[in-house]
Amino acid sequence: MHHCASLRPSRVKMTSVGNHSILQEVDLHSKTNNEEHHTSELPGDQLIVRRGQSFKMTVKVTKPFKPDLHSLLLTATTGGAHGEYSSEDQGTLSRFGIPGYPDRSPTAKAIWTVQLHGSSSLTSLILLITPPTDTPIGKYTLTGSLWDEEIQLATLVVLFNPWFSGDSVFMSDELERKEYVMNEQGVIYGGSTDYISGMNWDFGHFEDDMVDICLMILDKNLNYTNNPSKDLASRGSPIYIGRVVSAMINNFDDPGVLQGNWSDSFEGGVSPSHWSGSHDILSKWIKNDYHPVKFGQCWVFAGVMCSVMRLLGIPTRVISNFQSAHDTDANLTIDVYHPLEGAEYIESDDSIWNFHVWVESWMTRPDLNTHGKYDGWQVLDPTPQEVSDGIYQCGPASVIAIHDGEINLPYDIPFVFAEVNADCVDWMVKSDGTKFSMFSDTKRIGKKISTKAVGSNERVNITHLYKHEEGSEEERAVFKYALDKDEESEEEEENNEGDAIPPPLLVLHFEEVSKPQYGEDVQLKLVLSSDSRVDRQMSVRISVEGMKYNGILVLVILTETKEETLRPGKELSIPILIPFQTYYKHMHVCDSLKVTSMVTDMRHPDKPSHAEDNVLLQDLPVHVSVTGYVRQYQEASATVSFMNTTTVAMTGMTLALSGSGVMKEEMNLRLPDLSPNNRIRVTVPFVPYRAGEKTLVADIHSSIFKDFKGNCTFKVNRF
């Protein structure tokens, strides 16, 4: 087990039997080393370094040391409490020294080096020690041997090094390193294609216990359980680390961090929408003796994984894909069924999520043997959707390979390719159970793929990194190329092409009358047009259903059927009203309102037309403020205010406050019931314990809605 709290302090005086130790004192220079290795944000005086970069250690001895006459032999080991899983040939044990190490294995890997600094004296040895760029990351014990005396010099942690050009996670741009490695505050995008909303997420990867937690995640993975030596030796590869972490963030196959839940009940835990950051989740996992924290959904899994990867030194960002396909049968096609009146609803094995969230991590891909062509951003998805190599893990999948349709390359590229670029086939289901293909849509899937900008909270659309422009010749060529590589999909493609018919001559779409806002009636209109030269008698069926963000329909909220006449050369506008009193009771289990229209020409009842709109209600605002001069270790206060602008009383209200560097753990308060058109204001004291720019997030929950959030960013001045 890793316990970084037990790492040796920066300066240690050595003692031995009879008090005659030759090694008198060791100074790890933790503060200076950590600053140079970009780990000074981590608390305490523990030594945390990055591979490929030297760190300084001063060893004071009681006898004069002459390098041409004497030898200082050093050993760095990782693996097990006593190094029982370490090996030179696997790179988890390294013997090195001054002037060298005569008994080193000829097949040794990941060999550390040491130099004697020129300002050393005969009794004060200033050592410059360098873990190589292929060093497996983790906790190491460093021992020294001099004049037949052997003693432990230090325990330290070695991380990946995106600042060093020889490391497989090297990122050349300093602003990008600052964003994708050092930034504890992020934005995760959700909602729907037309209603994208940003949620502040506190990665919190520099909190006190995060080194312990992240190393424990590695030690709890199945590979370590089955073969510790092999697992430890593999930890020098970010490819391997990414795959392991994607499995360990969910709990399907191992003692993972989070349990997923997409049902209506979150008994025994909290709704995934409650969370505002990673550290509360990760610390609960440790405190609960590695039992999964309840509950998570895709953005929570991704946010937690991003924290772990950034702590380990792998540049990582969170990605949101709107209209995201879940292709269960790997044929690159999503089937959607629409029942006519009287027909039974058919649930497809495939689904289209309003949005789905994963992470990208930056690394080289030498395993692909393509001379660096597919280096760079790699998709990793910790949400448990489909198994890969027998367990729930996903990636790394090269974004460039996804863009090029190279679905035969590892790992899991067909699944991710389908998420952003599958074709969608709409089927109409008749009352007798038969179905026919209405339309094959090549543009519905993979919209507005988004991530937070470098250095700001702006949203950046990166869809072009995943695919060519929708409908372009290049995009269709890549899709066909991917199909040709997938033997199971070739036959399916032929069948779909034979069944599909062109879009109908009747054109229909939804328009907003006003921006949908929680607490207000939703007003839309359905607009129809046609190139017909005669009047067309239309039967229009409107249905409104509560839907989860992953495309699962929860319940029917209202239905309405009416007959209308479409005049030649004119648009027909049909108003649609969804009263607040009709929908509000259902929004604690739903994420959006799916509005569907089925329009049938009375003369051609066998060719209905279909349109749908996914309405996301804008949350009521939660206002958070922190005023005055805020100083580290001194009490400050935050004020949270919220107004009930609806026509119903809000009951069962709670307030949760969290923020890394501001509160050690989430603060939870019960709030009184709130009558219509009334405001509540709460002032909460807190003592910030880390300096710099910090963000406090407030979450308000009630029995009739899920988790409205607000936040405030402010400066904490150094003590």
Side-chain angles (χ1 to χ4, degrees):
M1 292 175 61
H2 293 289
H3 293 288
C4 288
S6 66
L7 292 180
R8 301 182 75 90
S10 184
R11 187 184 298 270
V12 180
K13 286 189 175 181
M14 301 298 183
T15 60
S16 65
V17 178
N19 244 2
H20 296 304
S21 175
I22 293 171
L23 294 168
Q24 186 179 43
E25 184 178 301
V26 175
D27 188 349
L28 303 182
H29 303 287
S30 294
K31 187 175 187 299
T32 302
N33 283 322
N34 289 355
E35 287 176 354
E36 292 179 353
H37 286 251
H38 307 279
T39 60
S40 59
E41 287 288 333
L42 290 161
D45 59 358
Q46 52 190 303
L47 179 58
I48 303 172
V49 302
R50 299 188 186 276
R51 62 189 195 174
Q53 182 176 342
S54 65
F55 62 92
K56 183 170 73 172
M57 175 187 296
T58 300
V59 178
K60 292 186 177 180
V61 294
T62 58
K63 292 170 56 177
F65 175 82
K66 299 178 180 179
D68 53 341
L69 296 177
H70 306 125
S71 293
L72 171 63
L73 304 180
L74 301 173
T75 304
T77 59
T78 185
H82 307 288
E84 59 267 31
Y85 303 126
S86 59
S87 160
E88 278 191 284
D89 293 343
Q90 293 187 314
T92 49
L93 182 152
S94 183
R95 294 185 173 96
F96 58 109
I98 298 172
Y101 207 104
D103 299 325
R104 181 188 297 135
S105 167
T107 56
K109 298 177 181 177
I111 301 170
W112 293 41
T113 60
V114 60
Q115 291 179 317
L116 193 63
H117 193 275
S119 59
S120 298
S121 68
L122 293 176
T123 57
S124 182
L125 313 181
I126 302 175
L127 308 178
L128 298 178
I129 300 172
T130 306
T133 54
D134 57 345
T135 302
I137 64 165
K139 181 182 174 185
Y140 280 80
T141 300
L142 186 64
T143 58
S145 178
L146 181 62
W147 292 301
D148 298 324
E149 180 179 327
E150 184 172 330
I151 197 162
Q152 181 177 321
L153 299 174
T155 52
L156 67 151
V157 171
V158 180
L159 302 176
F160 291 103
N161 193 351
W163 281 265
F164 184 64
S165 60
D167 199 298
S168 51
V169 301
F170 171 65
M171 178 171 268
S172 60
D173 189 288
E174 173 58 23
L175 291 177
E176 291 186 342
R177 290 193 297 256
K178 186 176 180 180
E179 179 69 46
Y180 300 134
V181 182
M182 302 301 289
N183 195 356
E184 286 190 284
Q185 300 298 325
V187 179
I188 299 177
Y189 297 98
S192 65
T193 307
D194 297 323
Y195 305 94
I196 295 177
S197 59
M199 177 179 67
N200 282 72
W201 190 266
D202 190 338
F203 296 116
H205 49 288
F206 295 134
E207 289 293 290
D208 289 15
D209 50 0
M210 281 295 284
V211 173
D212 275 357
I213 293 172
C214 294
L215 295 181
M216 185 56 68
I217 285 173
L218 300 184
D219 282 357
K220 288 292 180 181
N221 90 84
L222 289 179
N223 297 338
Y224 182 84
T225 302
N226 296 331
N227 190 334
S229 298
K230 184 178 179 182
D231 171 76
L232 289 163
S234 301
R235 294 184 187 181
S237 166
I239 302 167
Y240 178 80
I241 292 293
R243 197 152 173 79
V244 163
V245 174
S246 79
M248 275 298 298
I249 298 302
N250 71 75
N251 76 315
F252 261 75
D253 318 284
D254 42 44
V257 174
L258 269 166
Q259 181 174 326
N261 185 349
W262 285 265
S263 73
D264 298 338
S265 171
F266 302 108
E267 187 175 350
V270 298
S271 165
S273 59
H274 168 84
W275 304 112
S276 300
S278 304
H279 182 250
D280 280 332
I281 296 169
L282 290 164
S283 59
K284 280 181 170 62
W285 177 68
I286 289 285
K287 292 173 184 175
N288 293 343
D289 196 25
Y290 318 115
H291 289 93
V293 178
K294 301 176 181 179
F295 295 100
Q297 291 176 1
C298 69
W299 70 93
V300 186
F301 288 108
V304 173
M305 181 166 184
C306 185
S307 300
V308 175
M309 298 294 277
R310 286 186 181 183
L311 181 281
L312 297 176
I314 302 174
T316 301
R317 62 187 185 181
V318 180
I319 307 297
S320 298
N321 175 41
F322 293 90
Q323 289 293 98
S324 186
H326 184 173
D327 181 20
T328 57
D329 52 9
N331 67 348
L332 305 185
T333 300
I334 304 298
D335 296 308
V336 181
Y337 299 100
H338 307 283
L340 288 169
E341 195 163 3
E344 190 171 323
Y345 176 74
I346 296 178
E347 187 169 342
S348 174
D349 292 332
D350 299 330
S351 58
I352 302 174
W353 296 28
N354 284 355
F355 68 95
H356 180 52
V357 184
W358 55 73
V359 302
E360 290 176 356
S361 291
W362 182 270
M363 65 188 73
T364 60
R365 291 299 303 271
D367 58 314
L368 302 182
N369 299 315
T370 52
H371 307 290
K373 180 179 180 181
Y374 299 115
D375 294 351
W377 291 116
Q378 314 288 321
V379 170
L380 291 155
D381 192 346
T383 300
Q385 295 185 94
E386 301 293 331
V387 295
S388 174
D389 292 336
I391 63 175
Y392 283 93
Q393 58 188 348
C394 181
S398 163
V399 173
I400 296 173
I402 295 165
H403 179 277
D404 293 348
E406 296 289 354
I407 66 171
N408 289 342
L409 295 176
Y411 295 88
D412 309 306
I413 290 179
F415 183 76
V416 183
F417 182 88
E419 286 183 303
V420 301
N421 213 18
D423 281 357
C424 187
V425 178
D426 288 277
W427 300 84
M428 194 62 65
V429 183
K430 297 182 178 180
S431 57
D432 61 3
T434 60
K435 56 184 184 291
F436 62 92
S437 173
M438 296 172 59
F439 184 55
S440 181
D441 190 345
T442 65
K443 301 180 181 180
R444 190 182 309 177
I445 301 300
K447 298 289 190 181
K448 297 181 181 178
I449 303 174
S450 301
T451 192
K452 176 188 173 299
V454 173
S456 78
N457 285 347
E458 296 299 313
R459 182 179 67 88
V460 179
N461 187 332
I462 60 168
T463 308
H464 64 283
L465 299 181
Y466 280 82
K467 57 184 178 180
H468 294 281
E469 184 179 353
E470 285 287 11
S472 67
E473 291 183 7
E474 294 88 349
E475 185 267 336
R476 284 292 86 192
V478 168
F479 186 82
K480 180 65 166 61
Y481 176 72
L483 279 175
D484 289 343
K485 283 181 168 286
D486 182 17
E487 295 179 357
E488 295 180 3
S489 297
E490 289 178 2
E491 181 179 352
E492 186 70 26
E493 181 196 20
E494 293 172 5
N495 291 339
N496 284 335
E497 285 184 354
D499 290 341
I501 61 174
L505 296 177
L506 180 65
V507 178
L508 55 158
H509 67 275
F510 287 99
E511 292 181 3
E512 292 179 4
V513 175
S514 58
K515 190 172 183 61
Q517 169 81 51
Y518 183 88
E520 299 177 2
D521 297 344
V522 176
Q523 299 182 67
L524 308 171
K525 59 182 178 180
L526 176 66
V527 180
L528 293 78
S529 61
S530 171
D531 57 359
S532 174
R533 297 181 180 180
V534 297
D535 288 354
R536 300 178 69 175
Q537 300 301 315
M538 299 293 181
S539 172
V540 181
R541 180 160 64 96
I542 305 291
S543 66
V544 179
E545 298 164 286
M547 187 172 73
K548 294 183 180 296
Y549 86 99
N550 62 350
I552 301 299
L553 298 175
V554 179
L555 77 167
V556 177
I557 293 176
L558 64 84
T559 59
E560 180 183 13
T561 301
K562 57 178 66 177
E563 293 187 2
E564 300 281 352
T565 301
L566 179 60
R567 306 293 183 187
K570 293 185 177 181
E571 287 187 341
L572 172 63
S573 181
I574 302 173
I576 299 168
L577 179 67
I578 311 170
F580 170 70
Q581 291 288 343
T582 303
Y583 72 73
Y584 85 90
K585 295 179 181 178
H586 310 295
M587 296 316 294
H588 68 288
V589 294
C590 301
D591 298 308
S592 62
L593 301 172
K594 183 179 181 180
V595 186
T596 306
S597 68
M598 192 71 71
V599 179
T600 305
D601 188 329
M602 309 293 269
R603 295 181 181 178
H604 305 283
D606 58 332
K607 294 183 178 180
S609 299
H610 165 268
E612 61 185 49
D613 189 22
N614 187 22
V615 177
L616 190 78
L617 301 169
Q618 184 174 342
D619 292 347
L620 298 183
V622 178
H623 299 285
V624 185
S625 62
V626 176
T627 57
Y629 185 83
V630 181
R631 194 176 186 188
Q632 187 182 14
Y633 306 128
Q634 295 186 354
E635 185 174 295
S637 63
T639 300
V640 180
S641 64
F642 175 75
M643 184 169 182
N644 179 2
T645 57
T646 75
T647 56
V648 298
M650 295 178 175
T651 61
M653 295 185 65
T654 60
L655 167 65
L657 285 162
S658 61
S660 63
V662 179
M663 295 179 172
K664 288 283 187 181
E665 57 185 24
E666 183 180 80
M667 179 185 295
N668 289 280
L669 303 171
R670 288 191 174 276
L671 302 179
D673 295 347
L674 192 59
S675 302
N677 297 313
N678 274 258
R679 181 186 301 274
I680 190 168
R681 187 186 304 272
V682 181
T683 299
V684 180
F686 65 93
V687 179
Y689 52 93
R690 285 169 50 208
E693 190 174 86
K694 302 300 171 189
T695 299
L696 188 64
V697 178
D699 174 282
I700 291 182
H701 179 89
S702 92
S703 59
I704 61 170
F705 62 78
K706 291 191 300 185
D707 303 294
F708 293 162
K709 297 180 187 288
N711 66 85
C712 176
T713 299
F714 56 97
K715 181 182 180 182
V716 177
N717 295 279
R718 193 169 298 280
F719 180 73

PDB file of all heavy atoms in Angstrom, residues 390-411:
ATOM      1  N   GLY A 390     -12.534  -8.263 -22.295  1.00  0.00           N
ATOM      2  CA  GLY A 390     -13.206  -8.956 -21.204  1.00  0.00           C
ATOM      3  C   GLY A 390     -13.609  -8.109 -20.021  1.00  0.00           C
ATOM      4  O   GLY A 390     -14.299  -8.599 -19.120  1.00  0.00           O
ATOM      5  N   ILE A 391     -13.201  -6.835 -19.974  1.00  0.00           N
ATOM      6  CA  ILE A 391     -13.602  -5.987 -18.856  1.00  0.00           C
ATOM      7  C   ILE A 391     -14.062  -4.629 -19.377  1.00  0.00           C
ATOM      8  O   ILE A 391     -13.839  -4.279 -20.534  1.00  0.00           O
ATOM      9  CB  ILE A 391     -12.467  -5.811 -17.822  1.00  0.00           C
ATOM     10  CG1 ILE A 391     -11.267  -5.094 -18.443  1.00  0.00           C
ATOM     11  CG2 ILE A 391     -12.040  -7.133 -17.234  1.00  0.00           C
ATOM     12  CD1 ILE A 391     -10.173  -4.796 -17.434  1.00  0.00           C
ATOM     13  N   TYR A 392     -14.706  -3.864 -18.488  1.00  0.00           N
ATOM     14  CA  TYR A 392     -15.233  -2.564 -18.891  1.00  0.00           C
ATOM     15  C   TYR A 392     -14.128  -1.519 -18.844  1.00  0.00           C
ATOM     16  O   TYR A 392     -13.840  -0.921 -17.811  1.00  0.00           O
ATOM     17  CB  TYR A 392     -16.401  -2.167 -17.992  1.00  0.00           C
ATOM     18  CG  TYR A 392     -17.679  -2.889 -18.345  1.00  0.00           C
ATOM     19  CD1 TYR A 392     -18.031  -4.079 -17.712  1.00  0.00           C
ATOM     20  CD2 TYR A 392     -18.518  -2.397 -19.337  1.00  0.00           C
ATOM     21  CE1 TYR A 392     -19.192  -4.747 -18.045  1.00  0.00           C
ATOM     22  CE2 TYR A 392     -19.685  -3.061 -19.684  1.00  0.00           C
ATOM     23  CZ  TYR A 392     -20.018  -4.234 -19.029  1.00  0.00           C
ATOM     24  OH  TYR A 392     -21.171  -4.905 -19.376  1.00  0.00           O
ATOM     25  N   GLN A 393     -13.508  -1.330 -19.989  1.00  0.00           N
ATOM     26  CA  GLN A 393     -12.476  -0.321 -20.176  1.00  0.00           C
ATOM     27  C   GLN A 393     -12.560   0.132 -21.630  1.00  0.00           C
ATOM     28  O   GLN A 393     -13.099  -0.579 -22.487  1.00  0.00           O
ATOM     29  CB  GLN A 393     -11.091  -0.902 -19.874  1.00  0.00           C
ATOM     30  CG  GLN A 393     -10.724  -2.103 -20.731  1.00  0.00           C
ATOM     31  CD  GLN A 393      -9.443  -2.787 -20.299  1.00  0.00           C
ATOM     32  OE1 GLN A 393      -8.695  -2.278 -19.507  1.00  0.00           O
ATOM     33  NE2 GLN A 393      -9.192  -3.974 -20.846  1.00  0.00           N
ATOM     34  N   CYS A 394     -12.025   1.301 -21.925  1.00  0.00           N
ATOM     35  CA  CYS A 394     -12.105   1.791 -23.300  1.00  0.00           C
ATOM     36  C   CYS A 394     -10.925   2.708 -23.582  1.00  0.00           C
ATOM     37  O   CYS A 394     -10.687   3.685 -22.871  1.00  0.00           O
ATOM     38  CB  CYS A 394     -13.412   2.547 -23.519  1.00  0.00           C
ATOM     39  SG  CYS A 394     -13.617   3.167 -25.214  1.00  0.00           S
ATOM     40  N   GLY A 395     -10.183   2.377 -24.648  1.00  0.00           N
ATOM     41  CA  GLY A 395      -9.074   3.196 -25.094  1.00  0.00           C
ATOM     42  C   GLY A 395      -7.745   2.659 -24.593  1.00  0.00           C
ATOM     43  O   GLY A 395      -7.696   1.631 -23.919  1.00  0.00           O
ATOM     44  N   PRO A 396      -6.673   3.397 -24.932  1.00  0.00           N
ATOM     45  CA  PRO A 396      -6.656   4.643 -25.699  1.00  0.00           C
ATOM     46  C   PRO A 396      -6.915   4.426 -27.197  1.00  0.00           C
ATOM     47  O   PRO A 396      -6.346   3.525 -27.804  1.00  0.00           O
ATOM     48  CB  PRO A 396      -5.247   5.186 -25.462  1.00  0.00           C
ATOM     49  CG  PRO A 396      -4.420   3.981 -25.143  1.00  0.00           C
ATOM     50  CD  PRO A 396      -5.322   3.023 -24.457  1.00  0.00           C
ATOM     51  N   ALA A 397      -7.776   5.266 -27.742  1.00  0.00           N
ATOM     52  CA  ALA A 397      -8.114   5.242 -29.163  1.00  0.00           C
ATOM     53  C   ALA A 397      -7.647   6.561 -29.777  1.00  0.00           C
ATOM     54  O   ALA A 397      -8.112   7.629 -29.371  1.00  0.00           O
ATOM     55  CB  ALA A 397      -9.626   5.072 -29.356  1.00  0.00           C
ATOM     56  N   SER A 398      -6.750   6.482 -30.722  1.00  0.00           N
ATOM     57  CA  SER A 398      -6.180   7.681 -31.339  1.00  0.00           C
ATOM     58  C   SER A 398      -7.264   8.509 -32.030  1.00  0.00           C
ATOM     59  O   SER A 398      -8.028   7.995 -32.854  1.00  0.00           O
ATOM     60  CB  SER A 398      -5.110   7.285 -32.357  1.00  0.00           C
ATOM     61  OG  SER A 398      -4.819   8.359 -33.224  1.00  0.00           O
ATOM     62  N   VAL A 399      -7.327   9.804 -31.706  1.00  0.00           N
ATOM     63  CA  VAL A 399      -8.301  10.689 -32.343  1.00  0.00           C
ATOM     64  C   VAL A 399      -8.023  10.793 -33.838  1.00  0.00           C
ATOM     65  O   VAL A 399      -8.952  10.836 -34.658  1.00  0.00           O
ATOM     66  CB  VAL A 399      -8.282  12.078 -31.666  1.00  0.00           C
ATOM     67  CG1 VAL A 399      -9.166  13.064 -32.441  1.00  0.00           C
ATOM     68  CG2 VAL A 399      -8.754  11.976 -30.225  1.00  0.00           C
ATOM     69  N   ILE A 400      -6.748  10.810 -34.216  1.00  0.00           N
ATOM     70  CA  ILE A 400      -6.408  10.870 -35.646  1.00  0.00           C
ATOM     71  C   ILE A 400      -6.877   9.604 -36.351  1.00  0.00           C
ATOM     72  O   ILE A 400      -7.414   9.664 -37.472  1.00  0.00           O
ATOM     73  CB  ILE A 400      -4.891  11.073 -35.827  1.00  0.00           C
ATOM     74  CG1 ILE A 400      -4.464  12.425 -35.257  1.00  0.00           C
ATOM     75  CG2 ILE A 400      -4.492  10.977 -37.298  1.00  0.00           C
ATOM     76  CD1 ILE A 400      -2.965  12.650 -35.235  1.00  0.00           C
ATOM     77  N   ALA A 401      -6.710   8.443 -35.709  1.00  0.00           N
ATOM     78  CA  ALA A 401      -7.170   7.188 -36.315  1.00  0.00           C
ATOM     79  C   ALA A 401      -8.686   7.164 -36.440  1.00  0.00           C
ATOM     80  O   ALA A 401      -9.232   6.643 -37.424  1.00  0.00           O
ATOM     81  CB  ALA A 401      -6.683   5.999 -35.482  1.00  0.00           C
ATOM     82  N   ILE A 402      -9.398   7.723 -35.450  1.00  0.00           N
ATOM     83  CA  ILE A 402     -10.863   7.819 -35.540  1.00  0.00           C
ATOM     84  C   ILE A 402     -11.239   8.694 -36.728  1.00  0.00           C
ATOM     85  O   ILE A 402     -12.112   8.340 -37.529  1.00  0.00           O
ATOM     86  CB  ILE A 402     -11.432   8.402 -34.227  1.00  0.00           C
ATOM     87  CG1 ILE A 402     -11.183   7.445 -33.060  1.00  0.00           C
ATOM     88  CG2 ILE A 402     -12.928   8.691 -34.364  1.00  0.00           C
ATOM     89  CD1 ILE A 402     -11.374   8.080 -31.696  1.00  0.00           C
ATOM     90  N   HIS A 403     -10.571   9.813 -36.869  1.00  0.00           N
ATOM     91  CA  HIS A 403     -10.825  10.741 -37.981  1.00  0.00           C
ATOM     92  C   HIS A 403     -10.611  10.049 -39.323  1.00  0.00           C
ATOM     93  O   HIS A 403     -11.361  10.275 -40.286  1.00  0.00           O
ATOM     94  CB  HIS A 403      -9.892  11.945 -37.843  1.00  0.00           C
ATOM     95  CG  HIS A 403     -10.030  12.970 -38.922  1.00  0.00           C
ATOM     96  ND1 HIS A 403      -9.408  12.863 -40.148  1.00  0.00           N
ATOM     97  CD2 HIS A 403     -10.724  14.152 -38.947  1.00  0.00           C
ATOM     98  CE1 HIS A 403      -9.713  13.902 -40.888  1.00  0.00           C
ATOM     99  NE2 HIS A 403     -10.498  14.715 -40.187  1.00  0.00           N
ATOM    100  N   ASP A 404      -9.598   9.169 -39.396  1.00  0.00           N
ATOM    101  CA  ASP A 404      -9.259   8.515 -40.659  1.00  0.00           C
ATOM    102  C   ASP A 404     -10.002   7.204 -40.883  1.00  0.00           C
ATOM    103  O   ASP A 404      -9.799   6.557 -41.917  1.00  0.00           O
ATOM    104  CB  ASP A 404      -7.749   8.249 -40.713  1.00  0.00           C
ATOM    105  CG  ASP A 404      -6.933   9.545 -40.776  1.00  0.00           C
ATOM    106  OD1 ASP A 404      -7.538  10.610 -41.007  1.00  0.00           O
ATOM    107  OD2 ASP A 404      -5.703   9.480 -40.580  1.00  0.00           O
ATOM    108  N   GLY A 405     -10.822   6.779 -39.911  1.00  0.00           N
ATOM    109  CA  GLY A 405     -11.581   5.538 -40.072  1.00  0.00           C
ATOM    110  C   GLY A 405     -10.755   4.282 -39.920  1.00  0.00           C
ATOM    111  O   GLY A 405     -11.162   3.210 -40.396  1.00  0.00           O
ATOM    112  N   GLU A 406      -9.610   4.361 -39.236  1.00  0.00           N
ATOM    113  CA  GLU A 406      -8.739   3.189 -39.055  1.00  0.00           C
ATOM    114  C   GLU A 406      -9.241   2.349 -37.873  1.00  0.00           C
ATOM    115  O   GLU A 406      -8.643   2.313 -36.801  1.00  0.00           O
ATOM    116  CB  GLU A 406      -7.294   3.640 -38.830  1.00  0.00           C
ATOM    117  CG  GLU A 406      -6.675   4.363 -40.003  1.00  0.00           C
ATOM    118  CD  GLU A 406      -6.386   3.435 -41.192  1.00  0.00           C
ATOM    119  OE1 GLU A 406      -6.562   2.210 -41.055  1.00  0.00           O
ATOM    120  OE2 GLU A 406      -5.985   3.958 -42.245  1.00  0.00           O
ATOM    121  N   ILE A 407     -10.344   1.654 -38.083  1.00  0.00           N
ATOM    122  CA  ILE A 407     -11.027   0.999 -36.967  1.00  0.00           C
ATOM    123  C   ILE A 407     -10.352  -0.299 -36.530  1.00  0.00           C
ATOM    124  O   ILE A 407     -10.741  -0.874 -35.508  1.00  0.00           O
ATOM    125  CB  ILE A 407     -12.513   0.729 -37.295  1.00  0.00           C
ATOM    126  CG1 ILE A 407     -12.643  -0.301 -38.433  1.00  0.00           C
ATOM    127  CG2 ILE A 407     -13.235   2.018 -37.645  1.00  0.00           C
ATOM    128  CD1 ILE A 407     -14.057  -0.769 -38.646  1.00  0.00           C
ATOM    129  N   ASN A 408      -9.362  -0.776 -37.269  1.00  0.00           N
ATOM    130  CA  ASN A 408      -8.686  -2.016 -36.873  1.00  0.00           C
ATOM    131  C   ASN A 408      -7.513  -1.785 -35.929  1.00  0.00           C
ATOM    132  O   ASN A 408      -6.892  -2.742 -35.461  1.00  0.00           O
ATOM    133  CB  ASN A 408      -8.203  -2.787 -38.110  1.00  0.00           C
ATOM    134  CG  ASN A 408      -9.355  -3.399 -38.883  1.00  0.00           C
ATOM    135  OD1 ASN A 408     -10.453  -3.540 -38.353  1.00  0.00           O
ATOM    136  ND2 ASN A 408      -9.117  -3.753 -40.138  1.00  0.00           N
ATOM    137  N   LEU A 409      -7.196  -0.543 -35.642  1.00  0.00           N
ATOM    138  CA  LEU A 409      -6.093  -0.253 -34.731  1.00  0.00           C
ATOM    139  C   LEU A 409      -6.582  -0.314 -33.284  1.00  0.00           C
ATOM    140  O   LEU A 409      -7.734   0.011 -32.995  1.00  0.00           O
ATOM    141  CB  LEU A 409      -5.513   1.132 -35.017  1.00  0.00           C
ATOM    142  CG  LEU A 409      -4.844   1.336 -36.379  1.00  0.00           C
ATOM    143  CD1 LEU A 409      -4.421   2.791 -36.546  1.00  0.00           C
ATOM    144  CD2 LEU A 409      -3.632   0.425 -36.528  1.00  0.00           C
ATOM    145  N   PRO A 410      -5.715  -0.719 -32.357  1.00  0.00           N
ATOM    146  CA  PRO A 410      -6.124  -0.714 -30.947  1.00  0.00           C
ATOM    147  C   PRO A 410      -6.084   0.723 -30.399  1.00  0.00           C
ATOM    148  O   PRO A 410      -5.279   1.531 -30.873  1.00  0.00           O
ATOM    149  CB  PRO A 410      -5.066  -1.592 -30.269  1.00  0.00           C
ATOM    150  CG  PRO A 410      -3.862  -1.517 -31.160  1.00  0.00           C
ATOM    151  CD  PRO A 410      -4.383  -1.322 -32.564  1.00  0.00           C
ATOM    152  N   TYR A 411      -6.971   1.043 -29.403  1.00  0.00           N
ATOM    153  CA  TYR A 411      -7.933   0.146 -28.776  1.00  0.00           C
ATOM    154  C   TYR A 411      -9.322   0.737 -28.942  1.00  0.00           C
ATOM    155  O   TYR A 411      -9.488   1.944 -28.809  1.00  0.00           O
ATOM    156  CB  TYR A 411      -7.636   0.016 -27.279  1.00  0.00           C
ATOM    157  CG  TYR A 411      -6.321  -0.638 -26.946  1.00  0.00           C
ATOM    158  CD1 TYR A 411      -5.160   0.101 -26.833  1.00  0.00           C
ATOM    159  CD2 TYR A 411      -6.253  -2.027 -26.764  1.00  0.00           C
ATOM    160  CE1 TYR A 411      -3.950  -0.510 -26.531  1.00  0.00           C
ATOM    161  CE2 TYR A 411      -5.063  -2.653 -26.449  1.00  0.00           C
ATOM    162  CZ  TYR A 411      -3.900  -1.886 -26.346  1.00  0.00           C
ATOM    163  OH  TYR A 411      -2.709  -2.501 -26.053  1.00  0.00           O
TER     164      TYR A 411
END
